[in-house]
Amino acid sequence: MSIIVHPNPDERTPHQICGRYIPVPPHSGKGSVTVSPHLVLALFTALAALVLAITAAAAAGYLSRRDGASYPAAITRAAAAFAATVTVAAALATAAMALAG
């Protein structure tokens, strides 16, 4: 492995690699997407709530199965736990957005 060092780094463009010039088209800004920080926060919160709901459902199904419930009963309890967690998360998000104005 060898490292090639240019004698004068100021003369070298960032897109030159090993003496070859790699053309890069200029970025016009068209088609770029700007995402507001509020949208990012809302999506992150929704993702965190979904992960929490899936974890709660898995735990409820596992614990009900360990308690001796049949597979259909364990799946029913897991689904109920998932729905309850999503409902509470949605209620908390709605209340937070109402308080934020």
Side-chain angles (χ1 to χ4, degrees):
M1 182 171 140
S2 65
I3 298 174
I4 300 172
V5 178
H6 198 272
N8 188 357
D10 296 331
E11 293 179 359
R12 193 170 176 182
T13 63
H15 303 295
Q16 281 182 333
I17 298 174
C18 298
R20 284 202 247 162
Y21 179 72
I22 300 173
V24 176
H27 182 62
S28 64
K30 294 180 183 176
S32 62
V33 178
T34 304
V35 180
S36 86
H38 297 291
L39 179 62
V40 172
L41 183 63
L43 290 175
F44 180 72
T45 304
L47 179 66
L50 186 64
V51 168
L52 179 68
I54 290 172
T55 305
Y62 173 75
L63 289 175
S64 63
R65 187 73 183 124
R66 291 259 333 233
D67 194 34
S70 65
Y71 280 110
I75 291 172
T76 302
R77 291 178 190 172
F82 179 81
T85 307
V86 168
T87 302
V88 169
L92 288 174
T94 303
M97 291 184 61
L99 289 175

